Amino acid sequence: MTSSKNSGHTGKTVLPDIAVDAEIDEEPAAGPTQLRGKRGLAYLAICLVLIGLNLRTVFSSFSAVLPEITSDAGLPGWAVVVLTTVPVTLLGVFAPLAPVLARRFGAERVLLGAMAVLTAGLLLRPVDVPAAGHLPALLAGTAACGAAIALCNVLLPGVVKRDFPHRLGLMGGLYTTAICASAALGAGFTYPVFTATGHWTSALWFWAVPAAVVLLLFLPLAIRQPSVKHQAIHGGVKVWRSAVAWQVTMFMVLQAMMSFSVFAWLAPILRDRGVDGGTAGLIVSVSIVLQMLGSLFAPALATRFKDQRVINAVVALMTGGGFALSIFGPSELIWIWTGLLGLGQGSLTAVALTMIMVRTRDAHTAAHLSGMMQGVGYGVGSAGTLLVGQLHQATGGFAAAGFLFLVVGSLAAFFGYRAGRNRFV
């Protein structure tokens, strides 16, 4: 996702990307990854894209076979709510830890460790603990996955920015598209694996394989990096006191509420409407593919204007409306409703991230705003999956969730309109 523009009345040139470097406040500055020529750079690029291709399967794979897991494992209602909420919450909780670990061990080794934890979490999730059932392993494995993904979310953009300064548009587009693709793959292939094997445990274990492959591929590159201890540079940027920063952050919170609710609940919503598991997975996959299209075009469109008020409000209303129509709209038009949701959600996520750059004047402020948005955005944004789960448990259906997302979409439009004004943190 790339964008650039010149603000004619301010003379400000917006940075040409949204790849924010989490290590920007380090001293000495983090150096590029030590590689062996152009082949080494190509190998690193492949590894980074493959890491991105593993960062959302944990969310969409679980929801694709949620009815089967709930029935076979005898999950209580509270456990379903926790399992769909905790990984998103941990994205916010562990995000601030990523720069701290990178200063101590280096970004490459932290990414390697995160992939090891992710692989272990994916392997642990389906384990049947003697005398305790599946629930303990599901909880522990899901938590491990959430923590690992949080570290990758924060560090990947900085490594891309640091090592591919002349291919930033290409690499940024590849790795962000890979992240979207991972959600589509999890949604589309989990139920067919379940059908082929007859076991939901096999369908979840399947996703440990690509994570393990990436871990092995990235291992030799990461371990040969020199160990350099860095110190944090304190002071200078106070985004937490900025009204503009809070408007941007609230926009991020509300888009995260809808985004991760799609991963966690869209497949169960479709199946509740009578769609079979395989078709529901396919519909979710297509909706997520449309998210990719929205994420590719929305930032370039948004930055063509002197402010982003209108586009922020429109894509927020598209997302909230698409979600509600997926629940309330005529079932024969379900592909249209989920398509509207996909285009809206992809565009909404992309323009929310674009606000990091167009609302800041320098890379240091952008990095701090990004940290604030991710910590608060994911941490509070996980309330979306929590509320959907609780409303479903309380009412036995998803109608209340439909009204919830009409409200969330409207609030996102309000804060997006405010965040879209041509003002700076």
Side-chain angles (χ1 to χ4, degrees):
M1 292 181 290
T2 61
S3 60
S4 62
K5 83 175 179 87
N6 292 325
S7 179
H9 57 288
T10 65
K12 171 182 180 277
T13 301
V14 175
L15 297 178
D17 62 90
I18 61 166
V20 177
D21 189 356
E23 301 173 275
I24 198 166
D25 285 336
E26 289 186 2
E27 190 177 69
T33 304
Q34 298 298 304
L35 302 167
R36 295 172 181 171
K38 292 185 177 179
R39 287 185 179 181
L41 191 64
Y43 186 81
L44 173 63
I46 292 169
C47 287
L48 296 179
V49 171
L50 290 177
I51 289 173
L53 205 55
N54 284 272
L55 295 186
R56 294 296 182 268
T57 56
V58 65
F59 303 102
S60 53
S61 62
F62 181 77
S63 66
V65 287
L66 181 57
E68 288 74 22
I69 297 173
T70 303
S71 174
D72 183 66
L75 297 183
W78 68 264
V80 174
V81 174
V82 169
L83 287 167
T84 53
T85 302
V86 163
V88 187
T89 305
L90 292 179
L91 296 186
V93 172
F94 278 86
L97 186 61
V100 178
L101 292 174
R103 283 193 292 270
R104 176 65 179 83
F105 301 104
E108 295 84 1
R109 286 194 175 95
V110 177
L111 285 173
L112 178 68
M115 288 306 299
V117 173
L118 178 61
T119 303
L122 291 168
L123 287 170
L124 179 61
R125 276 200 306 173
V127 170
D128 187 1
V129 180
H134 286 281
L135 183 56
L138 277 169
L139 291 170
T142 300
C145 291
I149 293 167
L151 300 180
C152 293
N153 277 348
V154 175
L155 294 179
L156 259 180
V159 175
V160 169
K161 186 172 187 175
R162 187 185 67 198
D163 289 309
F164 299 92
H166 303 300
R167 294 289 184 271
L168 200 52
L170 173 63
M171 278 301 299
L174 285 175
Y175 98 87
T176 50
T177 301
I179 291 174
C180 283
S182 70
L185 291 171
F189 284 95
T190 302
Y191 194 85
V193 173
F194 163 73
T195 303
T197 62
H199 299 284
W200 64 265
T201 53
S202 300
L204 293 191
W205 264 320
F206 175 81
W207 297 107
V209 175
V213 169
V214 177
L215 174 64
L216 294 175
L217 288 174
F218 195 55
L219 177 64
L221 190 152
I223 61 174
R224 71 167 177 255
Q225 298 306 310
S227 180
V228 180
K229 290 186 178 181
H230 301 267
Q231 293 182 334
I233 303 171
H234 298 287
V237 180
K238 311 241 182 246
V239 295
W240 294 87
R241 300 179 183 178
S242 167
V244 175
W246 277 108
Q247 290 159 6
V248 172
T249 298
M250 286 305 301
F251 188 41
M252 181 70 171
V253 165
L254 294 159
Q255 82 79 21
M257 289 181 71
M258 292 189 282
S259 178
F260 286 96
S261 293
V262 170
F263 298 151
W265 290 107
L266 184 55
I269 285 169
L270 296 174
R271 296 185 68 176
D272 186 68
R273 298 201 65 181
V275 180
D276 67 88
T279 305
L282 179 61
I283 292 173
V284 175
S285 292
V286 171
S287 181
I288 295 171
V289 169
L290 290 173
Q291 284 191 27
M292 295 184 210
L293 292 178
S295 68
L296 286 173
F297 293 109
L301 178 62
T303 52
R304 286 182 179 273
F305 303 105
K306 67 178 182 179
D307 63 49
Q308 294 74 40
R309 290 176 295 178
V310 173
I311 189 170
N312 286 359
V314 168
V315 297
L317 293 173
M318 279 178 62
T319 306
F323 217 137
L325 286 168
S326 298
I327 297 172
F328 298 128
S331 57
E332 59 269 20
L333 299 178
I334 196 65
W335 288 91
I336 294 177
W337 311 140
T338 55
L340 177 67
L341 171 60
L343 283 173
Q345 184 63 67
S347 301
L348 177 61
T349 302
V351 296
L353 291 171
T354 303
M355 291 300 101
I356 296 172
M357 286 302 168
V358 298
R359 295 284 82 84
T360 56
R361 296 182 185 274
D362 58 76
H364 283 271
T365 306
H368 284 268
L369 178 59
S370 176
M372 178 181 177
M373 284 177 64
Q374 290 199 60
V376 179
Y378 292 135
V380 181
S382 63
T385 58
L386 174 65
L387 288 171
V388 174
Q390 289 182 324
L391 289 170
H392 182 256
Q393 292 298 319
T395 64
F398 290 102
F403 290 110
L404 169 68
F405 285 109
L406 286 175
V407 174
V408 172
S410 299
L411 288 172
F414 171 77
F415 282 103
Y417 188 88
R418 300 283 292 177
R421 294 176 300 167
N422 193 31
R423 300 181 180 184
F424 304 107
V425 176

